[in-house]
Amino acid sequence: MKILIIHSQYQLHGGEDAVVDQEMQLLRQEHTVEILRFQNQGGWKGALQFLGSIWNKRAAGKVKHKIREFQPDVVHIHNWHFALGPLAFRVINRLYVPVVHTVHNYRLLCPSAILLNEGQLFTDSLSQSFPWKAVRNKVYRSSVAQTFWLAFIVWFHKKIGTWKKIDSYVCLTPFAVNLFQQSNFGVSKEQFLVKPNFTVATETVQSTEKEKHFLFIGRLSEEKGIETLLQAFKELPFLLKIAGDGPLKYSVVDAVKEFPNINYLGNLTNKEVTEELRKTQALIFPSVWYEAFGLVNIEAFSNRTPVLASKIGAPQSLIIDGYNGFHFEPANVENLKEVVRRFSALSLIEKEKMGTHAYDQYKSHYSSELQLSYFDSIYSKVLKK
């Protein structure tokens, strides 16, 4: 099968970009795959991209040229915002090529993309025909103008039927599908499929001995629950290591200066991430938004590491409480402290058993070996249409 992947890369390489690269490498094992990348820019170039994304003829022209040149059986689009734009979906549809869209966030439902505003869940946009409250609250880049424009782009393409021209939406969890069905997005449930992310476990001769510290890896930002994490460990006697970068980096740096049990590792390479996941006794995932997936959770599983995660979004199904980790209430400092103490009180054998369960969960649900059959099912369905 000939598959064309299209993706607008973020200014800073993130989780979606990593998933695209990973899936492309996997698909090339059995299919002919090419990728057409667009790059989101910053500054005035980015502003022009954003303004023009409502009807980006130049990007759509590149898509048309690539399809005529490559003649794919199916097109798979990941991120369309903002260097690509929704017009590409209409062009692909006019060329009679099936198109699949992986939904990595909730931008089609709300300009915030994460259904969060000022640290609180924000779901008003799900029921509004136009998200005026989101505009007033400046949920996108703290700007009324930019929030309105993004909302208008999605609304305009909804009105002219662009989103119905997508043959299949691929969500990462059933939770995300339910959110779309509860909203006024207006696309039938039959167009939604579920395919989880995956990770490739790195083979090792022997298991790394677990150390006694806890670990956070991810973007240092409000929606990831960094403030909750820091506050909890300021009041706990256990060692916490934090890896990543983001707008709350200096909150982490300040905490490190004041509290010797909090260490900041900075940004890590993929190899270093794997090493840290192997060494820690548990990963902490304190997200406060409806997390679409959380790739680091299954990366932890693949390294036999349990996860302590907030009970919201995808982690509700990824983590099975008491089996491969523990749940705690999102943004609840006291509950997080309680769960950390509960895990610490487990015997070494109990922790190892939980790590084994995490690895079993990875092998049975999130390993690369399972993914090709997922893709074959998705692509076969749209080709039959």
Side-chain angles (χ1 to χ4, degrees), residues 23 30 56 61 103 137 140 146 254 272-273 282 312 325 332:
E23 291 189 356
E30 292 191 3
N56 193 333
V103 179
N137 289 354
Y140 180 67
Q146 292 187 68
D254 290 342
E272 289 170 335
V273 166
I312 188 171
N332 190 321

Side-chain angles (χ1 to χ4, degrees), residues 250-265:
Y250 292 102
S251 295
V252 175
V253 172
D254 290 342
V256 169
K257 292 176 181 176
E258 187 176 356
F259 297 90
N261 65 316
I262 301 176
N263 293 350
Y264 178 48
L265 305 177

Side-chain angles (χ1 to χ4, degrees), residues 214 229-239 259 261-262 284 333-334 336-341 344:
F214 293 89
L229 179 68
L230 290 175
Q231 187 58 45
F233 274 84
K234 286 176 182 179
E235 303 169 10
L236 286 169
F238 309 110
L239 178 62
F259 297 90
N261 65 316
I262 301 176
I284 300 183
V333 173
E334 291 304 316
L336 173 54
K337 287 162 57 180
E338 178 186 336
V339 166
V340 170
R341 290 192 183 103
S344 297

Side-chain angles (χ1 to χ4, degrees), residues 7-217:
H7 178 57
S8 290
Q9 296 185 144
Y10 291 89
Q11 294 176 57
L12 296 176
H13 192 273
E16 289 184 35
D17 302 312
V19 167
V20 171
D21 293 339
Q22 202 174 50
E23 291 189 356
M24 179 177 63
Q25 292 173 14
L26 182 75
L27 286 167
R28 281 177 172 166
Q29 294 179 14
E30 292 191 3
H31 303 284
T32 302
V33 182
E34 291 194 11
I35 185 165
L36 178 60
R37 298 182 191 269
F38 295 85
Q39 180 63 58
N40 289 347
Q41 303 288 338
W44 65 269
K45 289 184 179 179
L48 289 177
Q49 283 181 322
F50 182 44
L51 285 172
S53 63
I54 190 169
W55 203 261
N56 193 333
K57 288 186 176 181
R58 184 177 181 184
K62 290 182 179 179
V63 170
K64 183 188 293 186
H65 175 77
K66 186 65 180 180
I67 289 175
R68 287 176 173 170
E69 175 188 73
F70 181 50
Q71 295 291 310
D73 297 299
V74 64
V75 175
H76 192 149
I77 293 181
H78 286 264
N79 180 40
W80 56 265
H81 174 72
F82 43 83
L84 175 60
L87 180 60
F89 292 110
R90 303 181 68 84
V91 167
I92 296 166
N93 179 261
R94 285 200 298 269
L95 293 173
Y96 299 102
V97 181
V99 60
V100 173
H101 176 38
T102 294
V103 179
H104 292 278
N105 53 52
Y106 308 112
R107 185 171 288 113
L108 291 172
L109 303 179
C110 178
S112 69
I114 58 175
L115 302 180
L116 195 75
N117 181 48
E118 295 183 350
Q120 302 295 320
L121 285 176
F122 180 79
T123 58
D124 297 62
S125 300
L126 300 182
S127 57
Q128 293 182 325
S129 58
F130 189 88
W132 286 113
K133 189 170 182 180
V135 174
R136 290 194 299 271
N137 289 354
K138 302 182 285 188
V139 300
Y140 180 67
R141 295 185 174 181
S142 301
S143 167
V144 169
Q146 292 187 68
T147 303
F148 170 79
W149 188 239
L150 178 54
F152 183 78
I153 290 170
V154 174
W155 175 85
F156 172 76
H157 280 279
K158 178 181 177 181
K159 288 298 181 182
I160 64 173
T162 299
W163 307 124
K164 291 185 177 181
K165 296 183 183 296
I166 298 171
D167 294 285
S168 281
Y169 290 84
V170 178
C171 291
L172 307 179
T173 63
F175 178 85
V177 176
N178 289 335
L179 269 184
F180 271 88
Q181 294 309 305
Q182 293 167 15
S183 74
N184 62 357
F185 186 57
V187 173
S188 68
K189 189 172 184 178
E190 288 69 33
Q191 284 178 257
F192 286 85
L193 300 170
V194 176
K195 186 200 76 65
N197 282 335
F198 70 99
T199 190
V200 180
T202 305
E203 297 296 328
T204 55
V205 177
Q206 60 184 24
S207 298
T208 303
E209 185 175 345
K210 293 292 186 183
E211 299 177 4
K212 292 185 178 181
H213 65 273
F214 293 89
L215 177 69
F216 170 89
I217 296 179

Side-chain angles (χ1 to χ4, degrees), residues 312-329:
I312 188 171
Q316 291 186 83
S317 56
L318 294 176
I319 287 81
I320 302 171
D321 194 66
Y323 179 76
N324 55 11
F326 288 128
H327 283 139
F328 56 88
E329 293 303 314

